[in-house]
């Protein structure tokens, strides 16, 4: 009998982040974020990058890094109503920028950040290391 290969929770939640990214209205880069409990049993919040609710579903400008879209991590943090004291894992399709790293740090008790692809900068890696948040690159499936 052949043993069934089961996807890991990390793979599943990165795939969910990739699916959330498909909702993105940013013309340059589609990014998705999923915040979970550390036992993987609960999705605490999701987010994707795009304009604010009620505004046109497009970028305000074409300038990379200044298109006016809210980042997916930012939207996930806004959507997360879990207390700061609850340990969390974060899954992002792309390496977070510095501003989003700071937002995730302030979310409280983020233990690990998993990401699938590089971003144009990786400056946030040092921030995560300094505060003890493990940053883990996953291979998107």
């Amino acid at each position: 009998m052949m043993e069934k290969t089961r996807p890991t929770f990390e793979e599943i939640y990165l795939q969910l982040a990739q699916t959330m990214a498909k909702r993105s209205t940013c013309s340059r880069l589609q990014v998705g974020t999923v915040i979970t409990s550390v036992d993987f049993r609960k999705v605490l919040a999701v987010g994707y990058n795009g304009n604010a609710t009620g505004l046109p579903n497009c970028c305000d400008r074409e300038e990379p890094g200044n298109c006016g879209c809210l980042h997916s991590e930012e939207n996930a943090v806004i959507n997360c109503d879990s207390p700061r004291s609850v340990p969390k894992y974060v899954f992002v399709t792309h390496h977070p920028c510095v501003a989003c790293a700071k937002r995730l740090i302030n979310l409280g008790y983020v233990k690990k950040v998993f990401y699938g692809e590089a971003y144009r900068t990786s400056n946030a890696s040092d921030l995560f290391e300094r505060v003890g948040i493990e940053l883990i690159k996953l291979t998107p499936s």
Side-chain angles (χ1 to χ4, degrees):
M1 184 197 249
M2 198 170 180
E3 191 172 320
K4 183 178 176 182
T5 303
R6 297 171 60 198
T8 66
F9 282 111
E10 292 88 347
E11 291 169 331
I12 289 169
Y13 286 125
L14 183 59
Q15 288 173 1
L16 179 55
Q18 292 166 339
T19 301
M20 290 304 303
K22 293 177 183 178
R23 299 257 326 143
S24 170
T25 57
C26 183
S27 60
R28 189 182 68 78
L29 184 65
Q30 289 68 52
V31 182
T33 299
V34 177
I35 301 172
T36 72
S37 60
V38 297
D39 65 1
F40 300 110
R41 295 182 185 272
K42 293 182 183 180
V43 172
L44 304 175
V46 296
Y48 53 89
N49 59 328
N51 216 335
T53 303
L55 296 178
N57 283 329
C58 60
C59 299
D60 295 335
R61 297 170 293 282
E62 294 300 317
E63 181 185 347
N66 191 25
C67 69
C69 288
L70 296 170
H71 288 196
S72 72
E73 302 95 325
E74 186 172 17
N75 276 322
V77 166
I78 290 167
N79 293 331
C80 189
D81 59 3
S82 186
R84 289 179 53 82
S85 60
V86 171
K88 302 164 189 73
Y89 287 163
V90 178
F91 297 84
V92 190
T93 57
H94 294 74
H95 190 292
C97 70
V98 168
C100 286
K102 290 179 178 181
R103 290 177 181 104
L104 292 171
I105 291 166
N106 275 0
L107 178 60
Y109 220 166
V110 171
K111 306 295 280 173
K112 296 180 183 181
V113 174
F114 300 89
Y115 71 98
E117 297 182 36
Y119 186 56
R120 69 176 185 274
T121 67
S122 61
N123 303 349
S125 299
D126 181 54
L127 289 178
F128 287 129
E129 186 177 330
R130 289 193 317 200
V131 299
I133 295 174
E134 192 175 354
L135 183 64
I136 301 167
K137 168 104 170 74
L138 295 176
T139 304
S141 47

